[in-house]
Amino acid sequence: MLGNPRRVEHIMGFPISVDIRATTSPLGSAVDHAFDWLREVDARFSPFRADSEVSRLNRAELTPAELSDDFIEVLAVCRRYEERSGGAFSVRLPGRGLDPCAVVKGWAVQRAAEALMDAGARRFCVNAGGDVVAAGGPWRVGIRHPDRIDQLCAVLAVEDAAVATSGRYERGDHILDGRTGEPATGLKSITVVADTLTIADTTATAAFALGADGPEWAAAQPGCEVFAVTENDRVFRSAGLPTG
Amino acid sequence: MKKTIPVLLLTAGGFIWLWQYEPTPHTETAVVAQAEAPAPAAGSATRTLTGTEVAAGRHGIVQVQVVLTDGSITEVQVLRAPATKPTEEALPTLREEALSAQSADIDTVSGATMTSEAYAESLQAALDAKGA
């Protein structure tokens, strides 16, 4: 029916898996197009590529009037979460210029998932380096143990939802508290379940930047459920967390 | 009636302060006392007054009820109290959580953004290989 229901490609420096279990029509090249879109996003939004829109904006080669609609949409999400988190979440840090990576990934993968839905995919899962969009379901989503790469610390059962995790264990102190410019402290990892990966990923990143107050803050965001592990190995679960 | 209003304000304010996780400034709405029962007949001097709900900063809602006997407060009841922020010590430990998750049959794994280098030894790689 599907030919190749599961595929993994490496884009933006992380593995992206697409796992399709049910579709209403042959998907044809829809999966190819989803991966093409993610490669296009990398080319346009990577601060590590000199010819990306982000890099050109940072070098003042683009005026705000020349920005693409996609870019403006991403910046609007960035601003919303900067405000909501009281500045803890920030995409403008001294010495770095503008780096919207924290928003781009979830936003781009969410859009790829929506394109698969439009093509007929009904029960499928996209996992982009640990951030998940689950369509249909229920899908059993394990949460990686913050200290052990080959172990879990919780299991969720999610249906038509997105799951994103922020933590320090994979790439060191890459999340800074925008209020201080220092690496965020207080949490080992925080996982957010929300309707879209744009919301889940950005909320998880902002909550991690907030540190000890992050879990409560994230749980208070509309439609968000939270699982978090503090630096002292205590586990926070929001009341509506969909446990598996 | 008028005399009871400052009393109610102080009472609600006192409770709010107790529930503050950290003493931060908060705005309060005015508490308006409302007689629950019709005005008492002559000779009886007990009245129950219920304050309106008061926002206790970002922690929730407080509402108190005061019973007055001969003009003095004889009883205070908390009708609504904010959920307090759990102290970290009250939360379960990761060890307890992890043990219950190990035998799970799962479809995919959520974790902090994994680089392509780390992928090879991850649970997700094993799941992808199993389903390919």
Side-chain angles (χ1 to χ4, degrees):
Chain A
M1 175 184 72
L2 293 165
N4 191 3
R6 191 185 290 238
R7 227 165 89 182
V8 185
E9 294 200 19
H10 292 261
I11 302 171
M12 306 186 217
F14 47 79
I16 302 177
S17 314
V18 175
D19 177 358
I20 298 168
R21 308 276 178 96
T23 180
T24 57
S25 52
L27 290 175
S29 54
V31 179
D32 292 339
H33 289 159
F35 282 117
D36 288 345
W37 156 251
L38 293 167
R39 274 186 288 268
E40 179 194 328
V41 167
D42 189 34
R44 288 170 52 191
F45 289 91
S46 173
F48 306 106
R49 291 172 180 251
D51 58 345
S52 71
E53 265 188 85
V54 171
S55 297
R56 290 168 61 209
L57 182 71
N58 281 334
R59 292 195 304 265
E61 290 170 19
L62 281 178
T63 64
E66 293 171 300
L67 295 177
S68 66
D69 289 350
D70 286 342
F71 202 119
I72 289 164
E73 191 179 320
V74 166
L75 287 180
V77 176
C78 294
R79 265 196 298 274
R80 191 180 314 143
Y81 281 87
E82 283 178 353
E83 285 167 15
R84 284 187 186 181
S85 67
F89 174 87
S90 180
V91 292
R92 296 171 194 274
L93 291 161
R96 283 200 191 182
L98 174 75
D99 179 2
C101 284
V103 170
V104 166
K105 181 186 170 190
W107 168 83
V109 174
Q110 178 65 34
R111 192 176 279 192
E114 286 168 7
L116 289 173
M117 284 178 218
D118 292 344
R122 284 297 169 266
R123 183 163 185 258
F124 68 93
C125 183
V126 181
N127 186 321
D131 292 340
V132 174
V133 179
W139 291 86
R140 289 176 61 78
V141 181
I143 298 177
R144 205 203 100 166
H145 193 294
D147 304 325
R148 312 280 295 272
I149 191 166
D150 60 345
Q151 288 194 19
L152 305 173
C153 59
V155 179
L156 308 178
V158 299
E159 198 158 350
D160 290 321
V163 184
T165 299
S166 283
R168 184 182 289 109
Y169 51 81
E170 196 60 56
R171 293 186 297 167
D173 291 327
H174 71 288
I175 298 178
L176 302 180
D177 183 338
R179 298 168 299 184
T180 62
E182 298 293 317
T185 57
L187 300 177
K188 275 189 178 177
S189 77
I190 180 162
T191 300
V192 174
V193 183
D195 286 344
T196 71
L197 193 55
T198 313
I199 296 171
D201 193 16
T202 313
T203 304
T205 305
F208 193 88
L210 281 164
D213 291 334
E216 290 276 340
W217 176 84
Q221 298 299 307
C224 291
E225 299 297 341
V226 179
F227 176 93
V229 181
T230 72
E231 280 190 336
N232 303 319
D233 282 348
R234 299 285 179 166
V235 174
F236 173 98
R237 286 169 171 267
S238 63
L241 192 74
T243 46
Chain B
M1 272 304 264
K2 267 191 174 176
K3 281 182 185 171
T4 65
I5 293 173
V7 173
L8 283 171
L9 265 173
L10 279 173
T11 310
F15 279 115
I16 290 163
W17 194 85
L18 281 177
W19 275 302
Q20 287 289 343
Y21 180 67
E22 52 206 355
T24 51
H26 56 271
T27 54
E28 285 181 34
T29 54
V31 176
V32 181
Q34 302 152 341
E36 288 279 287
S44 160
T46 301
R47 286 195 301 159
T48 303
L49 301 167
T50 306
T52 51
E53 295 175 346
V54 177
R58 58 192 172 89
H59 298 295
I61 301 284
V62 176
Q63 188 180 29
V64 292
Q65 191 174 68
V66 180
V67 177
L68 294 172
T69 306
D70 295 330
S72 303
I73 295 176
T74 53
E75 194 183 340
V76 178
Q77 283 190 311
V78 180
L79 301 183
R80 288 192 64 184
T84 51
K85 182 170 178 172
T87 57
E88 207 181 317
E89 291 69 34
L91 297 172
T93 64
L94 181 60
R95 182 188 301 273
E96 295 158 6
E97 295 276 335
L99 288 173
S100 63
Q102 289 317 313
S103 59
D105 178 22
I106 52 162
D107 295 306
T108 194
V109 180
S110 179
T113 300
M114 185 193 306
T115 59
S116 293
E117 292 73 33
Y119 174 72
E121 51 181 319
S122 71
L123 272 176
Q124 184 61 37
L127 290 167
D128 286 335
K130 195 171 70 176

